[in-house]
Amino acid sequence: MATEIKVPTLGESITEATIGEWLKKPGDPVKVDEPVASLETDKVSVEVPSPVAGVMGQYAAQVGDTVQVGAVIGSVESSAGVPPQVAPAASPAPAPAPAAAPAPAHEEPAGDLTLSPSVRRMVLEHGLDPTQIKGTGKDGRLTKEDVQHAIDTAQSKPAPAPAPAPTPAPAPAQAGERREERVRMTRLRQTIATRLKEAQNTAAMLTTFNDVDMTAVMEARAKYKDLFEKKHGVRLGFMGFFVKAAVQALRDIPAVNGSIEGDEIVYRDYVDVSVAVSAPNGLVVPVVRDAQDLSVAGIEKTIADFGKRAKDGTLKMEEMRGGTFTISNGGVFGSLLSTPIINPPQSAVLGLHRIEERPVVRDGQIVVRPMMYLALSYDHRLVDGREAVTFLVALKNAIEDPTRLLIDL
């Protein structure tokens, strides 16, 4: 009996997906709830579990096909309906070949050579050519000793090494040859392309920059990272500081945390921070909910969990929806400066970059400091330039003096 495998419900407003990969082949055993296929949606990859235990049946959709929610994409055959694998019966041992009848006396292997019966038997048993053996008997006849000496000599010689296979000559390169590879865009990549272009077409997007001295945060991290990891079970990174600093700055400049819906502006008293993390098929943006209520440890734990599950492809749909502000850290890939694109319907995105030692002036002296460029892209329809700059300055002040985060300045 076959049980259908259907596309599961994928989340609010998501009605279709693409077959990304079949994880089981027809005939493979499967357990109940074991993943048999991977679907790509416009947000994340989703695994399709087997509804029953049994044996994987035939596919009803192939990799790359677009399928609707509820569509049948394959089947699982019940174990009871699958005949057991029976080992092939052992073949009876072949009957031993009859011993070769001794050659009649008149059928000597050496033509006109005269061999004694015992010598003839040795020659036949070892497949020797008697004409190639020097006889030491009367009139040059072969003796048993002569044949045995030939046998011993043949066995002592090493087997000839097989001749190496000739190496085929490489195909001559075609002058001016150029190659192309065409790969179908994943649904996630298509959606990223569509949404980013939509943001550019809709928002009046502008980017403002600042830089921040990372000395204080780096010293705090170096001083407390071991105790922090021992107590909380997660590494102390920089994102915890930046999220806390962003939350504080967003309370001062609420427009950066707002959005435009129709002819209305939506202001919020909470902060759901979308954090861009790398996944096998591109960047995904899970949301740290109610970041204003989380400690640095709570933020770091949440982000570390997102990063791990993004690589595993196990992020859930609901974890990707509803962010109010985005932080993207291109610095982990070595980016020095960028102009990030807003993630609609949000009105702003903060770009972090690599930390680089640069000469700066402090108290009239040129000193070297670990500096990072900050970039805030914002929707100028909602956020004025003054507000964008004020937000970045507040963020910069909090990072350069983390005590501000503790006393709410």
Side-chain angles (χ1 to χ4, degrees), residues 290-343:
D290 292 316
Q292 76 281 354
D293 297 332
L294 295 178
S295 64
V296 170
I299 293 167
E300 292 288 0
K301 287 179 180 179
T302 302
I303 294 174
D305 177 61
F306 284 156
K308 179 179 182 299
R309 291 193 292 121
K311 290 181 173 63
D312 296 340
T314 57
L315 284 174
K316 299 177 181 177
M317 292 293 178
E318 56 268 23
E319 295 173 314
M320 316 287 286
R321 295 195 297 264
T324 62
F325 179 76
T326 294
I327 300 179
S328 178
N329 186 7
V332 297
F333 304 111
S335 172
L336 177 64
L337 193 61
S338 67
T339 54
I341 300 177
I342 297 169
N343 181 26

Side-chain angles (χ1 to χ4, degrees), residues 218-393:
M218 293 177 70
E219 289 177 349
R221 182 172 179 265
K223 183 176 181 179
Y224 296 112
K225 65 178 182 179
D226 292 336
L227 289 173
F228 185 90
E229 185 170 2
K230 183 177 180 180
K231 180 175 181 179
H232 300 291
V234 66
R235 294 179 60 190
L236 176 59
F238 296 123
M239 285 298 288
F241 291 99
F242 275 102
V243 171
K244 290 294 290 184
V247 167
Q248 186 168 290
L250 290 170
R251 285 207 306 261
D252 294 339
I253 314 294
V256 181
N257 193 46
S259 62
I260 295 176
E261 295 185 6
D263 57 358
E264 296 180 335
I265 299 175
V266 179
Y267 294 101
R268 303 176 176 90
D269 65 354
Y270 60 90
V271 180
D272 290 344
V273 181
S274 302
V275 181
V277 297
S278 181
N281 293 328
L283 287 177
V284 292
V285 193
V287 180
V288 180
R289 308 283 178 189
D290 292 316
Q292 76 281 354
D293 297 332
L294 295 178
S295 64
V296 170
I299 293 167
E300 292 288 0
K301 287 179 180 179
T302 302
I303 294 174
D305 177 61
F306 284 156
K308 179 179 182 299
R309 291 193 292 121
K311 290 181 173 63
D312 296 340
T314 57
L315 284 174
K316 299 177 181 177
M317 292 293 178
E318 56 268 23
E319 295 173 314
M320 316 287 286
R321 295 195 297 264
T324 62
F325 179 76
T326 294
I327 300 179
S328 178
N329 186 7
V332 297
F333 304 111
S335 172
L336 177 64
L337 193 61
S338 67
T339 54
I341 300 177
I342 297 169
N343 181 26
Q346 298 174 19
S347 294
V349 52
L350 175 68
L352 309 182
H353 303 89
R354 78 169 184 251
I355 301 170
E356 185 177 63
E357 288 192 340
R358 293 198 295 272
V360 295
V361 177
R362 295 287 185 268
D363 299 324
Q365 301 294 320
I366 298 176
V367 294
V368 175
R369 290 287 187 267
M371 304 298 293
M372 176 195 288
Y373 286 119
L374 305 176
L376 182 74
S377 292
Y378 58 97
D379 188 346
H380 212 342
R381 297 177 303 167
L382 173 58
V383 181
D384 293 333
R386 177 185 60 84
E387 293 173 313
V389 172
T390 303
F391 171 88
L392 272 188
V393 170

